[in-house]
Amino acid sequence: MSETVTVQAPANIAVIKYWGARDLQHAVPANPSISMTLSSCVSTTSVRIRDAGADEILLGDGGVLRPAEGSFRDRIAAHLQTLRDCLGRHERFVVATRNSFPAAAGMASSASGFAALTVAVSEALGLRLDTERLSELARLSGSGSAARSVMGGWVEWPAASSGERFAAMQLASAEHWTLCDVIAIVQQAPKDVSSLDGHRRAATSPHFERRLTVLPARLAGVRQAIAHRDLAALGEILEQDAIELHLVAMSSRPPIYYWAPATLAVMQTVRNLRVAGRPAFYTMDAGANVHVLCAPADEDAVAQALLATPGVVELVRDRTGSGPRRLETSLFDEAIGHG
Ligand code: DP6
């Protein structure tokens, strides 16, 4: 039996959002995006090569491994085939995967999940791929944001004019600038409309093209803010871009409303924090939950204010992290009743 490889990969939060695609099937984005890789919100994936048979995909759930089902299983199976095709390999795999995210937190796990799967499969095959190649492969899962989760710190994923090879690149390490991301969970149910549908509808919004024209200046501003660790400059731009993602979504045909009433309440709390001298800034992905970025020195005060906001049901505290890592323990060993 082959060696088991276990990889833990983090989620990321975009400060300039990927929204809308040139080629959705191959996850070719309409615009470049920049994100901060997280550290506690992770997916853990164990992979070993099967001696015979088809791929087996298991989901770790409270110390037990169960066969994965439905579209979750299908997306992983499709990505395993894509990896085989791209790498010219024929092996079949046993895969077990688990998320650290709090139960039903309604947070996207595909970026961390596909990053972990991509890195674990390449290591199980004995390949030593660089992060650029891993980024290109992770993106082919269809979860474009997975292309950013194979690297730590601050990561830019460029746009390309066609489906050719292109990868994310690290702008700065987690050591260069560590910020906290206090995530206010206001909605635990999964979102109604997937990011995939959001990307599909984005170009129907009258605001879509206009956003693309202002993005080069915004991207330059974010790169500079990261280089100078300038939270006020980063914060102003990341709020603008988050609002515009939702403006595009709300004005798409048919429209998509990701926010809940408590999303607006949290945004108001963050503005109040700033008035009170605590620099904190909000951003929302394709969902109602709010990521609040602040300096580590302000994390406790921010968390306290968010918890006191009506409609906030849970907080997740995270911060800048350094990317995927290999673990010694495997989900196969941990699981009860799986040999
Ligand atoms: C709003 O197509 O990467 O998070 O696979 O569901 O994670 P998932 O979505 P993906 O689109 C991400 C959309 C976004 C913005 C971003 O992360 O850039």
Side-chain angles (χ1 to χ4, degrees), residues 12-20 24 27 31 33-35 75 108-112 114 141-148 157 191 194-196 199 245-246 258 284-287:
N12 65 77
I13 177 66
V15 293
I16 297 290
K17 311 288 185 185
Y18 154 39
W19 201 244
L24 200 51
N31 67 278
S33 53
I34 298 180
S35 59
R75 282 190 76 187
S109 56
S110 42
S112 53
F114 284 113
S141 64
S143 169
S145 48
R148 301 186 307 241
W157 186 41
K191 57 195 177 208
S194 67
S195 303
L196 204 63
H199 294 308
L245 179 162
H246 290 272
Y258 285 116
M284 293 74 69
D285 274 344

